[in-house]
Amino acid sequence: MSKGSFWRAAGLNYLEYSNLAARYLRRALKEAPQAKALKREEHNLRVSLYENGKATPAKFLKNTQQ
Amino acid sequence: MFSILRQGLARAARLPVAHARSYADAAPAAGDKVRLTFSTPDGSFFNAKAITQVNVPATSGDFGILVNHVPTIACLRPGVVTVVEDGKESKFFVSSGTVTVNNDSSVQIVAEEAAPLDQFDAAAAKSGLDQATQRAASAGNDADRAKAEIGVEVYRALVTALA
């Protein structure tokens, strides 16, 4: 690991660097591979809270990036 | 039971220490090929495939791996991975990740994002570079500037690779 990384100096770690680099890279792909690659960024979440021992109706959170 | 254990330990202590491979030793027989595994979270391009050489872009500098390379581990930076097999070259662009070179000449490249070089759009890389440069110049704080500069790094490497 190079000691003088500008991103490390700004408080980012390698995982954040890697994640961002991947996001930038996907946006330079040609159309067909890009459509496929962008799907990998999506993180969908189904949240259902339990109240008094019963599940509340599930909430679907689409594409939660952070 | 403990006395047996103690005897065993005492015997082990007297045995000559088995050294790990040092620079002067011959590498274990690995044939004359590198065995490459090159993958992303989405799939793999090579799976333990026998190849001649692979060149990787690392944060510590670019390097080429031939058979019997000294064991190494490095972080990848945005750049071109070149795989040479039977005199034919294939090029991929990787965002980031790790490369591991083992004692038996097996190599693992794990990239967060990677694609064959011909799947990238040169015009998109150029406009991406312009946008990222602009955002880096107008960023209000260090973190935002660094985030934009990562884009500059990615797209600059990509523009160079596609030129």
Side-chain angles (χ1 to χ4, degrees), chain A residues 45-62:
Chain A
L45 215 58
R46 234 176 77 122
V47 183
S48 159
L49 296 172
Y50 279 78
E51 276 167 18
N52 300 324
K54 281 196 174 160
T56 59
K59 244 194 299 183
F60 191 67
L61 304 179
K62 204 170 158 45

Side-chain angles (χ1 to χ4, degrees), chain B residues 16 41 49 51 66 69 76 108-109 115 149:
Chain B
K49 181 123 192 271
I51 53 133
L66 286 158
H69 191 284
L76 297 177
Q108 287 86 39
I109 299 174
E149 275 173 1

Side-chain angles (χ1 to χ4, degrees), chain B residues 23 62 101 121 161:
Chain B
Y23 287 106
D62 298 7
V101 185
D121 182 349

Side-chain angles (χ1 to χ4, degrees), chain B residues 2-67:
Chain B
F2 286 113
S3 67
I4 294 171
L5 187 62
R6 208 174 302 123
Q7 275 173 17
L9 283 174
R11 202 172 301 135
R14 280 196 303 275
L15 287 172
V17 181
H19 286 288
R21 179 188 165 205
S22 68
Y23 287 106
D25 292 333
D32 56 352
K33 294 280 190 187
V34 174
R35 275 185 305 113
L36 174 69
T37 300
F38 179 9
S39 55
T40 70
D42 194 49
S44 66
F45 299 111
F46 296 86
N47 191 359
K49 181 123 192 271
I51 53 133
T52 310
Q53 180 181 352
V54 56
N55 300 336
V56 293
T59 51
S60 49
D62 298 7
F63 63 101
I65 302 159
L66 286 158
V67 73

